Amino acid sequence: MDRKTIIHDPSYGNKAEAFEAYDDIPTNPNLSRTIGDVINARYGRRDVLRGMLGVSATTALFGSTALVAPRGADAAPASRYVFDELAWGNDATHHIADGYEANILLRWGDPITADAPDFDVMNQTAEAQLKQFGYNNDYVGFWPLNDEGTRGVLCVNHEYTNEEVMFPGLGRQDRAGFEGMTRELVDIEMAAHGGSVVEIAKDADGFWSLVKDSPLNRRVTPLNTEMRIDGPAAGHDRMKTAADPTGTRVIGTLNNCAGGMTPWGTYLMAEENFHGYFWTDTLDAEGKPDLSNQPEAASMKRYGVPGRWYAWGQYHDRFNIDKEPNESNRFGYIVEVDPFNPDAMPIKHTALGRFRHEGAETTIASDGRLVIYSGDDNRFDYQYKWVSSDVVTEENAVFGSSLLSEGTLYVARFDADGTITWLPLVHGEGPLTAENGFESQADVAIDTRLAADLLGATPMDRPEDAQPRGDGTAYIMLTNNSRREPDQVDAANPRAESRFGHIIEIKEKDGNHSATEGTWSILVLCGDPTIADVGAQWHPETSESGWFASPDNCAIDADGRLWISTDQGRGWGRTGKSDGLYALETEGEMRGHSKLFFRCPVGGELCGPYFTPDSETLFLAVQHPGTDGTKDYPGFERDSIFEDPATRWPDFDPAMPPRPSVVVITKTGGGKIAV
Ligand code: FEO
Ligand code: CA
């Protein structure tokens, strides 16, 4: 189906659902079946079983760089999760396992600077939104500001906006040709994207709240935050625009999905679905973008530019490729923000490549180098890893470090024999030469997907978050891929029409995250284990509430245990379950056992999660409550809009629509979340 048909298909209840369905259409040309694929398919099930049965003898490793305070998670898990499992379901509010508290910390619109106005949902302005908490909170990071851990800086991504529940009287704008959008509304949308940096503090009762007058509090947005472009693409002709003839400065960041905190406490924001913000008025007879006059048409096609999911290009020329063809080359990167210095200009690190970055979780390898795992969230796209050239030292563990500009970006090939090979994306090596269109490392940085295609990376089932643990283990969330055909399955993506996703565990060679090879296995195949056709695989003691679908974000607590949040989109109609947070055993006899800990209000997806270093506080982010799949919500069964939302979580005020919010989880009476 083409984009227009999907937009007008009544079964897609909002723009985000339509976007996700259209995005199913693969842009990766590397999908022809090879003999390797055939072998992979044949042996896939055996390898799945090997992964399920494998008992990992992991050891805690942390290299010579312990001078840099590591962010927990450097130990292998030693004990089980101890909490009474929450029962599954889906209703208007959130639920947490017994014995825990869930408090709302920050809501969309909350004033976050000393001079910010109160939120007035009926009279929104961009000026006010620039001082208020943004929309659709996704990644959450935390860094303590004192030894007691009672003050800290919270870094939150605001991925996108849902105009139909955000603005009164607007409804679905993609369906209406964006006729209701105005410059004013577009600017509010832009001001609601990006990120928030805020100081928070915990009182004597263990209750966290915003420190509203902290000088650290600020918004980072695509409307007005200037950024420096760093790395091999900086200053290249393909990065130059009318507004920036140097190719080294760009206004803003957008569609910031997951992210990461560096070992020295700077905040990494991943730019994910950037293509959706670019516009064209040049359409072919079928109403599709006509790229025939675009010199970079092949690159644009591989990235899905222009997506035309927002009307920004109608009011801001730089988002219209007819007027500014190079602006899209300046998005799709990892952005670094210094949360301790509000005057520090954020940096786009092009060395880490350009793709639909889901996240940017960091670790220090046992050889002392910085490693960042980042997935490209698209059907049939790839898993990447960055390895710095230098080891981390006290001198270079700073904002704007060369550790994020000098190093090697790798893409993963998963073989059927259980090995993973990390293929270097280095200009001049292998096929990455001028004859193949790569004149320099700048071209590799800008056209990372095209470079990875040439290297023969493994097309995956939508790589979402990836989380390294200090012992050389990493977990990769593959959320789903309904478009994988039976003849496209392989060992690492073993199900056709995979609607529920799976999780891969990587063990890097010698426990060293900078290794260029290692082994992999499948930790779980998600979905309902009682339905044979689903082909799910869990530990057999996983309960009816414990299995999940569409893993998205994840965290490893200070004791090395894995926690996973889900995003089923409208697919929750198939499971009946809201999205939630699950504790998943990775070691020993209970490997593959999952338990439900928290669940979202209807139509929301769960993001974060992030533990404080003492593991006594867990931050979660409920994104787009009351939107996805509301036609399947028993008793509601219609599209959710501002005037008639499926829930008014978390305020339940008849004058307030649902508000994306950050939730703080603590144990009743204090103590570690899980022991
Ligand atoms: Fe924004 Fe890949 O989820
Ligand atoms: Ca995500």
Side-chain angles (χ1 to χ4, degrees), residues 138 159 257-258 272 358 377 464 552-553 567 605:
D138 194 302
E159 184 179 0
C257 194
E272 195 191 29
E358 169 70 26
D377 181 5
E464 296 264 17
D552 188 341
N553 300 118
D567 173 17
E605 74 170 271

